[in-house]
């Protein structure tokens, strides 16, 4: 990394384990840009080998996310969506540019204006692989907001952990976990993870991701109800009925991250658990602030600690892992699980 480049860090998690809370608290540190929901729902094609021009890269960032468009259509957008009700696309959320769903609204109170600024600058990026575009894009956001570092967090980033470690070797890595039982219970009530489980189930059964079907591609009759234009709220909610599916999903995603961390060996790694965070938030936040290089880590931790809902001492939940950890790769998944 160039000496003039901002510091960088990535929070890795399965999702539904407190990572949104952590990134919201990080956003309260004035030198730090908290980038939320970028690598997974916006930039999950990081492994694409082709060289894209700046205009082509911006076209991808500014196109709608098909899965999120389907969730808008059936009235079940995930709560992480923060696009304002008076925004330019508020009356047509199905066409909302993917970078405007969460990433830019979490950075600016006027995300449409920030989007317009980026629309003028990003197409001027040189032709390069996607990972280098991502690096330039995050550095540009950091510069535009006058920050010294960026910290990215996406729910479900465990699935892309190996790619992130490979393409961002200088990034500090925060690995955040939570008991699988609690994570699975939260996942099965969340529309994004219900949709992920639906897509993974379809891929295992039919070898097809219903959100990556070509127009002329034959689809099994029993799978058609999963297609973006035919999906209903009832069909999606049915995916939350069996918590066992989400325990398997937790096991798979956690194993993806842990194997990637073991293989890649990030230069700087901090492991945190949600249980420790709510049991002793001041200690955990102080350690996080020091790790990320906050000059004011102690003041920051004291300032934001009240936002963490704590549990009385001695009342911490048990943290069992449900059964043996599955072998990496046993669970077959589609290429991407962007929301």
């Amino acid at each position: 990394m160039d000496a003039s480049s901002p510091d960088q860090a990535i929070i890795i998690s399965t999702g539904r384990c407190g990572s949104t809370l952590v990134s919201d608290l990080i956003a309260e540190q004035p030198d730090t840009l908290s980038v939320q929901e970028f690598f997974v729902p916006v930039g999950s094609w990081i492994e694409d080998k082709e060289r894209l021009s700046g205009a082509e890269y911006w076209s991808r960032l500014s196109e709608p996310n098909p899965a999120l468009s389907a969730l808008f259509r059936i009235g079940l957008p995930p709560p992480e969506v923060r696009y304002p009700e008076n925004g330019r696309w508020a009356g047509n959320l199905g066409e909302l540019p993917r970078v405007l769903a969460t990433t830019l609204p979490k950075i600016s109170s006027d995300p449409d204006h920030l989007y317009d600024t980026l629309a003028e600058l990003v197409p001027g990026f040189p032709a390069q692989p996607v990972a280098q575009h991502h690096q330039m894009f995050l550095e540009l956001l950091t510069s535009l907001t006058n920050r010294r570092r960026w910290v990215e967090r996406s729910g479900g980033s465990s699935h892309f952990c190996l790619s992130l470690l490979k393409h961002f070797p200088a990034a500090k890595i925060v690995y955040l976990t939570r008991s699988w039982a609690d994570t699975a219970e939260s996942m099965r009530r969340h529309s994004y993870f219900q949709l992920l489980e639906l897509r993974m189930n379809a891929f295992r059964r039919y070898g097809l991701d219903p959100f990556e079907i070509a127009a002329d591609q034959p689809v099994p009759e029993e799978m058609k109800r999963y297609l973006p234009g035919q999906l209903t709220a009832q069909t999606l909610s049915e995916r939350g009925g069996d918590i066992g599916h989400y325990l398997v999903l937790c096991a798979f995603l956690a194993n993806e991250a842990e194997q990637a961390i073991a293989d890649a060996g990030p230069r700087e790694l901090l492991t945190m658990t949600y249980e420790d965070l709510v049991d002793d938030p001041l200690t955990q936040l102080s350690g996080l602030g020091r790790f990320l290089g906050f000059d004011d880590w102690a003041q920051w931790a004291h300032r934001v600690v009240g936002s963490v809902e704590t549990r009385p001492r001695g009342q911490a939940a048990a943290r069992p892992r449900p059964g043996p950890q599955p072998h990496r790769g046993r669970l077959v998944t589609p290429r991407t699980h962007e929301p």
Side-chain angles (χ1 to χ4, degrees):
M1 184 174 64
D2 186 272
S4 62
S5 298
D7 293 339
Q8 51 191 253
I10 300 172
I11 299 173
I12 300 294
S13 77
T14 61
R16 311 312 298 161
C17 61
S19 61
T20 300
L21 170 63
V22 170
S23 52
D24 282 344
L25 298 182
I26 289 171
E28 297 298 316
Q29 205 286 327
D31 293 328
T32 304
L33 179 66
S34 182
V35 183
Q36 302 197 34
E37 303 293 353
F38 178 73
F39 282 135
V40 176
V42 177
S44 60
W45 22 274
I46 189 170
E47 286 292 349
D48 283 10
K49 305 300 183 186
E50 63 177 313
R51 294 172 64 86
L52 300 180
S53 68
E56 290 169 328
Y57 176 71
W58 179 246
S59 177
R60 292 199 182 187
L61 296 188
S62 56
E63 67 186 5
N65 180 325
L68 185 57
S69 295
L71 293 177
F72 278 129
R73 182 182 60 77
I74 63 176
L76 293 175
E80 289 77 13
V81 173
R82 285 292 184 268
Y83 190 68
E85 293 181 357
N86 61 348
R88 188 182 307 160
W89 279 269
N92 188 18
L93 290 173
E95 296 299 316
L96 182 69
R98 63 178 66 209
V99 76
L100 271 171
T102 302
T103 305
L104 299 189
K106 281 287 191 175
I107 293 172
S108 171
S109 60
D110 188 353
D112 287 340
H113 176 71
L114 179 55
Y115 177 87
D116 292 341
T117 299
L118 294 168
E120 294 178 0
L121 298 174
V122 175
F125 286 5
Q128 58 191 346
V130 170
Q132 293 177 31
H133 275 299
H134 284 350
Q135 181 76 60
M136 284 192 67
F137 183 76
L138 294 172
E139 291 183 2
L140 175 60
L141 281 176
T142 306
S143 174
L144 290 173
T145 53
N146 296 309
R147 308 299 171 88
R148 290 172 47 191
R149 68 181 63 82
W150 57 260
V151 180
E152 198 281 343
R153 186 275 318 165
S154 295
S157 56
S158 295
H159 192 48
F160 298 93
C161 185
L162 190 59
S163 294
L164 293 172
L165 294 179
K166 180 175 71 173
H167 292 294
F168 293 88
K172 296 179 178 181
I173 302 299
V174 178
Y175 180 42
L176 178 63
T177 64
R178 185 185 186 186
S179 76
W180 290 356
D182 291 341
T183 302
E185 178 61 33
S186 183
M187 282 180 173
R188 77 186 184 114
R189 293 182 280 108
H190 191 280
S191 62
Y192 160 50
F193 286 95
Q194 290 173 347
L195 184 58
L196 169 58
E197 196 283 325
L198 179 152
R199 295 174 68 178
M200 292 174 63
N201 178 66
F203 195 83
R204 291 194 299 272
R205 293 182 62 185
Y206 310 113
L208 299 171
D209 179 348
F211 282 76
E212 295 185 359
I213 301 290
D216 58 349
Q217 189 171 358
V219 176
E221 187 64 33
E222 60 272 25
M223 182 183 157
K224 289 183 178 178
R225 69 192 189 113
Y226 295 165
L227 296 175
Q230 300 186 38
L231 184 68
T232 65
Q234 180 178 349
T235 297
L236 188 63
S237 65
E238 290 171 358
R239 307 312 306 176
D242 188 348
I243 194 172
H245 294 162
Y246 296 90
L247 288 169
V248 172
L249 177 59
C250 288
F252 175 72
L253 292 174
N255 193 59
E256 286 270 277
E258 289 163 14
Q259 188 65 57
I261 289 171
D263 290 346
R267 299 176 190 176
E268 297 183 78
L269 171 68
L270 175 69
T271 59
M272 298 178 63
T273 71
Y274 176 77
E275 290 79 9
D276 286 343
L277 178 62
V278 298
D279 288 344
D280 189 2
L282 185 59
T283 297
Q284 293 299 308
L285 292 172
S286 296
L288 175 63
R290 285 196 303 270
F291 177 75
L292 294 175
F294 296 173
D295 292 337
D296 62 342
W297 60 265
Q299 297 93 324
W300 168 78
H302 279 89
R303 190 167 65 249
V304 302
V305 69
S307 298
V308 181
E309 185 175 342
T310 59
R311 290 187 299 222
R313 285 289 185 177
Q315 309 251 334
R319 306 174 196 174
R321 285 195 169 185
Q325 194 160 315
H327 177 71
R328 185 171 189 257
R330 182 176 296 172
L331 183 60
V332 180
T333 64
R335 180 181 63 84
T336 179
H337 66 256
E338 60 185 14

